[in-house]
């Protein structure tokens, strides 16, 4: 074949293969590809290239000129390699402009730069000149791929690697926040989310799922998705989606249940930051909080006294033998209701009766029944004493001292509820009886005050009668004297 | 029984000539006329004073007059001491009724011009006793050391301090310091249970002695009418028994008030707390308090409060020495002018008290 | 002749009236004396319970100890720390109002109900309590300890 023929064939081949560029007449690409530099190599797969954008659309300059001085001329708008915030500003030039995005048929949001600036990553870098993170930090500069592209650094399976580039680098993180953890990845890999993610499941949670992407805020920032009061709804985004959860065979009602529970109400309605959110029991990045055998033993980290009592009670061995979770068995997990006397005992609605039937486990049955009776009488005694004191107070009698002693009854009730967890009748009896004694005394004082109230009125009545008789007889006596004098 | 009493009487008589006293007392007569019902108010006031002394002494058994314990000791009396509630409520109610009956007594004497010669000293001692009564009321009010009392005392002594020149030393003297503190409580306690009762008893003795010596004043005859011979009744036993009957009814009234309207205690005084809303003095000071509120802050060169206090001081002084400037009454004639002044003052007090109450 | 029965009736009336008068007078005296005498008899509780403005003598409070004192209707815990500082806090736990206590072995204030712990500044350091304990002022005057509210 003649050299010209080869050139022709090559020319056609090049035409066929490198259509877009040759038709675009883009000299930037031509030169830089010839130089074989990294940006041009990466750019070939870039999603912007697919949309017909090229170097000059970001860097400026004249793409038609093949003379570098003309092409990369400031007068032609060439900005060179942007540094620092200029990079992100350049991206935002299109990505923040809804018109521009529409022109290219994109439905991407246009507020990423805004969000980034107010996020924790928008803070000033240690060099003082730019934000900590620019768009290209996570998205790369020249090989930007669609988020659904498995090769994209922000594809679900790759997000972890992208984030840990900085966040697992202790030396780097120390310059910003010495106390921040850098072991999230290790912990994450022990969790079900992490394991699934490692196995290639793009639907399971990774960093961005909980922390967000552009609007990541510090955990103690009220607006953060991982601020304690926001954590339940963040988890619920996936975990309340029944179709998604069906794939894994997990129920999707935990958030609903939790919202009704005493913990949920405390956290979500009363804004008590001490109440547990999902991560308090299930862990943040790891599967469970440290030092705990499993989620079922987590309760003791806050409810220490109850856990201690339980561990030294006969139930511990019994539950372990039957492989029953400890606290959860009686109290539930997500839908934990506020404790009340109804939980204890052998009647309907009580949990003890579930195992302790009349003849089986008879000792336990008896203990449960009696403890419940005692708890009920203590509750009744407190109510009665309080009612009497209130009545006396209403009547205007002075009962502040007795009212003060009522606190001890209240305290005994609370302590007895904790003492239950030893499942020892004698112990429960000791605590509850203290309360009963005081309640009786206070009730007595209240009743005495009420009786005194009536005594005063009766006494007044008697005194009035005496005075009336005396006054009348005195009056008659006076009249008689005066009649005599007349 | 009768014989033992006679023997006792004879024994005393030998040493004190009781016979003369009995004879004198047997000759006492009380005139009976249209206005003689007012005669009773002096006796009722005396009765209420006796009640105050008795209940006051009983309260002294349990009251503790220090900043720390005053409030709690009264709480103790109201709740833990048997019938403590009764004694305390009677004491508080009687204080108010005492001032009321004393005022009625004072005004009835004023309108009857009973202060005229020869009863000028009786009037003076009576007026001094009345001022002491206000002192009793003011000092006693602080003793529970509750919120209302604390602030009322603060305001009251503050007003005293406004008097030019001598005001501040008087205020510091009253307060036992610059501020109202436990020292004030100690002083007021001393005034209330020792100083005032002592002086009052002396004045009362003089007052009663004079009434016994001079007998009851008779109303002035309208001009142009002949002097009428008035009906009389003997003091012993008629008027006395009637007096006792009235006192009995008043006692019952006090018991009813104590049971159905027990006196409140409120909250313990806290110097650092804000004054409760609607703070105002007891009703018998209300008209003066309200007057001060009505006077503008500055009148020409004079400070409003100073003017107010000055006016009241002057009015009080004139009222005190009325027997000496009501010349007509000294001659045994009715002075219309003085009557009108009296009417004006009564109306003024009533109207301003109501306004002060309602606001 | 005709007068005698009326005189007799009048006499009977007189005696009856005198009887009623005398009797009701005695009853009245009794109705006055009974409350007065009952009042004078000291009640079972000899004195008003101190609402703990005065918490006793400083010399009676051992170092490294805590006592509960009634402050009106509120419980207050008075601590004398190992460093010999006097501190007073509301003894009502901020969790569910149980009365806290000083635990020498733990070196902190502890709530028996749910294991709440507070440090010597009243700050909640562990357990369910959501807020620190309210602090009270402690003054020592003339060897006596006085507790008052912080204004």
């Amino acid at each position: 074949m003649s050299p010209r023929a080869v050139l022709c064939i090559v020319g056609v081949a090049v035409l066929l293969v490198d259509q877009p560029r040759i038709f675009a007449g883009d000299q930037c690409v031509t030169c830089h590809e010839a130089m074989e530099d990294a940006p041009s190599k990466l750019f070939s797969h870039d999603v912007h290239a697919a949309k017909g954008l090229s170097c000059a659309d970001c860097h400026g300059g004249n793409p038609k000129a093949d003379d570098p001085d003309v092409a990369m001329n400031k007068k032609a708008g060439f900005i060179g390699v942007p540094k620092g915030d200029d990079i992100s500003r350049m991206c935002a030039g299109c990505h923040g402009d809804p018109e521009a995005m529409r022109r290219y048929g994109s439905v991407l949001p246009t507020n990423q730069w805004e969000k980034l600036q107010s996020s924790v990553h928008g803070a000033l870098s240690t060099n003082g000149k730019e934000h900590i993170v620019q768009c290209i930090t996570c998205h790369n500069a020249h090989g930007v791929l669609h988020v659904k592209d498995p090769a994209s650094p922000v594809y679900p399976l790759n997000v972890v690697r992208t984030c840990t580039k900085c966040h697992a680098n202790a030396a780097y993180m120390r310059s910003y926040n010495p106390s921040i953890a850098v072991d999230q990845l290790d912990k994450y890999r022990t969790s079900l989310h992490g394991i699934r993610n490692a196995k290639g499941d793009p639907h399971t949670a990774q960093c961005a799922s909980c922390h967000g992407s552009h609007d990541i805020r510090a955990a103690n920032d009220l607006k953060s998705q991982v601020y304690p009061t926001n954590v339940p709804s963040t988890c619920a985004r996936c975990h309340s989606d029944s179709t998604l959860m069906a794939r894994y065979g997990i129920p999707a009602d935990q958030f609903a249940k939790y919202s009704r529970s005493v913990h949920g109400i405390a956290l979500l309605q009363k804004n008590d930051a001490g109440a547990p959110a999902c991560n308090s029991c299930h862990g943040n990045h790891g599967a469970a909080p440290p030092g705990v055998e499993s989620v079922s033993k987590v309760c003791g980290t806050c409810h220490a006294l109850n856990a201690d009592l339980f561990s030294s009670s006969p139930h511990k061995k019994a539950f372990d033998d039957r492989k029953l979770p400890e606290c959860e068995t009686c109290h539930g997990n997500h839908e934990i209701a506020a404790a009340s006397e109804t939980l204890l005992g052998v009647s309907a609605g009580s949990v003890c009766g579930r195992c302790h039937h009349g003849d089986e486990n008879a000792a336990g049955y008896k203990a449960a029944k009696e403890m419940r009776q005692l708890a009920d009488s203590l509750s009744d005694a407190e109510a009665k004493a309080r009612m009497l004191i209130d009545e006396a107070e209403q009547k205007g009698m002075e009962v502040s001292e007795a009212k003060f002693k009522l606190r001890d009854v209240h305290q005994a009730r609370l302590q007895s509820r904790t003492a239950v967890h030893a499942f020892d009748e004698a112990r429960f009896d000791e605590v509850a009886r203290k309360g009963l004694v005081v309640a009786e005394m206070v009730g007595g004082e209240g009743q005495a005050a009420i009786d005194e109230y009536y005594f005063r009125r009766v006494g007044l009545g008697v005194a009035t009668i005496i005075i009336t008789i005396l006054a009348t007889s005195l009056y008659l006596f006076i009249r008689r004297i005066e009649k005599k004098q007349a | 029984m009768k014989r033992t009493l006679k023997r006792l009487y004879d024994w005393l008589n030998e040493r004190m000539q009781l016979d003369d006293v009995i004879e004198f007392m047997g000759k006492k007569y009380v005139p009976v006329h249209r206005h003689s019902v007012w005669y009773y108010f002096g006796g009722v006031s005396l009765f209420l004073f006796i009640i105050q002394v008795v209940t006051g002494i009983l309260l002294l058994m349990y009251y503790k007059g220090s900043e720390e314990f005053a409030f709690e000791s009264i709480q103790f009396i109201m709740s833990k001491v048997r019938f403590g509630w009764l004694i305390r409520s009677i004491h508080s109610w009687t204080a108010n009724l005492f001032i009321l009956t004393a005022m009625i007594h004072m005004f009835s004497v004023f309108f009857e011009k009973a202060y005229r010669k020869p009863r000028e000293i009786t009037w003076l001692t009576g007026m001094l006793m009345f001022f002491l009564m206000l002192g009793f009321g003011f000092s006693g009010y602080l003793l529970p050391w509750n919120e209302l009392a604390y602030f009322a005392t603060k305001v009251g002594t503050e007003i005293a301090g406004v008097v030019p020149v001598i005001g501040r030393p008087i205020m510091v003297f009253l307060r036992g310091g610059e501020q109202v503190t436990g020292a004030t409580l100690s002083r007021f306690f001393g005034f209330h249970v020792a100083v005032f009762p002592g002086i009052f008893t002396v004045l009362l003795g003089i007052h009663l002695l004079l009434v016994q010596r001079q007998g009851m004043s008779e109303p002035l005859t309208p001009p142009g009418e002949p002097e009428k011979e008035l009906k009389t009744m003997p003091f012993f036993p008629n008027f006395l028994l009637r007096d006792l009957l009235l006192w009995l009814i008043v006692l019952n009234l006090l018991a009813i008030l104590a049971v159905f309207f027990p006196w409140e205690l409120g909250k313990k005084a806290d110097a650092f707390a804000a004054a409760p809303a609607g703070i105002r003095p007891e009703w018998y000071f209300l008209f003066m308090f309200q007057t001060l509120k009505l006077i503008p802050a500055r009148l020409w060169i004079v400070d409003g409060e100073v003017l107010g206090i000055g006016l009241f001081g002057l009015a009080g002084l004139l009222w005190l020495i009325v027997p000496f400037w009501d010349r007509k009454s000294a001659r045994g004639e009715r002075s219309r002018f003085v009557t009108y002044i009296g009417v004006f003052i009564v109306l003024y007090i009533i109207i301003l008290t109501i306004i002060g109450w309602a606001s | 002749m005709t007068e005698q029965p009326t005189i007799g009736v009048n006499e009977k009336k007189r005696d009856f009236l005198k009887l009623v008068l005398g009797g009701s007078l005695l009853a009245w005296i009794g109705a006055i004396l009974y409350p007065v005498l009952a009042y004078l008899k000291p009640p079972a509780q000899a004195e008003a319970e101190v609402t703990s403005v005065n918490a006793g003598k400083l010399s009676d409070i051992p170092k490294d100890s805590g006592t509960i004192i009634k402050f009106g209707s509120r419980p207050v815990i008075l601590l004398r720390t190992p460093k010999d500082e006097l501190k007073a806090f509301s003894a009502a736990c901020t969790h569910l109002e149980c009365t806290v206590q000083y635990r020498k072995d733990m070196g902190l204030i502890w709530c028996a109900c749910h294991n709440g712990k507070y440090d010597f500044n009243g700050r909640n350091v562990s357990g369910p309590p959501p807020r620190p304990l309210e602090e009270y002022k402690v003054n020592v005057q003339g060897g006596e300890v006085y507790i008052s509210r912080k204004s």
Side-chain angles (χ1 to χ4, degrees), chain A residues 272 302-306 308 400-401 404-405 407-408 410-411 414-415 417-418 455 463 466-467 469-477 480 484, chain C residues 13-15 17-18 20-21 24-25 27-28 31 34 45 49 70 72-75 91-92 96-99 110 112-115 127-128 130:
Chain A
D272 180 357
C302 289
H303 298 272
L305 221 51
N306 306 41
D308 280 348
S400 61
E401 258 181 57
F404 183 74
K405 289 196 209 120
R407 291 176 49 84
D408 288 340
H410 179 71
Q411 180 144 345
L414 285 177
Q415 280 184 292
R417 282 184 177 180
T418 307
F455 170 76
I466 293 176
I467 289 184
I469 296 175
L470 181 60
T472 320
S473 53
L474 183 59
Y475 176 70
L476 292 172
F477 187 69
R480 201 175 61 180
K484 242 199 309 192
Chain C
K13 273 210 205 126
R14 227 169 271 148
D15 292 334
L17 184 60
K18 273 211 171 133
V20 172
L21 186 61
S24 57
L25 184 65
W28 180 78
Y34 172 65
Q45 192 185 315
E49 273 195 25
K70 192 155 99 76
S73 56
R74 286 178 277 252
L96 287 177
E97 300 257 321
C98 290
T99 305
W110 181 69
C113 287
H114 304 101
N115 207 25

Side-chain angles (χ1 to χ4, degrees), chain A residues 34-89:
Chain A
M35 290 192 325
E36 290 196 348
D37 64 6
S40 55
K41 276 212 196 112
L42 288 167
F43 193 68
S44 53
H45 309 292
D46 195 306
V47 67
H48 294 108
K51 294 273 182 189
L53 287 158
S54 180
C55 317
D57 293 298
C58 293
H59 290 279
N62 188 347
K64 298 212 172 40
D66 55 1
D67 178 358
D69 292 321
V70 179
M72 303 198 288
N73 197 326
K74 272 214 186 95
K75 289 212 191 82
F78 184 66
I79 60 171
V81 177
K83 293 252 185 320
D85 289 343
D86 288 336
I87 303 174
S88 302
R89 253 179 241 128

Side-chain angles (χ1 to χ4, degrees), chain A residues 452 455, chain B residues 77 80-85, chain C residues 34-35 38-41 43:
Chain A
E452 168 72 12
F455 170 76
Chain B
I77 290 171
K80 290 277 177 337
V81 180
R82 281 218 76 195
F83 295 104
W85 59 273
Chain C
Y34 172 65
Y39 175 91
L40 288 170
K41 181 162 165 270

Side-chain angles (χ1 to χ4, degrees), chain B residues 206-220:
Chain B
I206 298 172
H207 194 88
L208 289 177
L209 198 67
L210 285 169
V211 169
Q212 292 302 306
R213 277 303 263 151
Q214 296 173 327
M216 304 303 267
S217 155
E218 290 175 18
L220 286 164

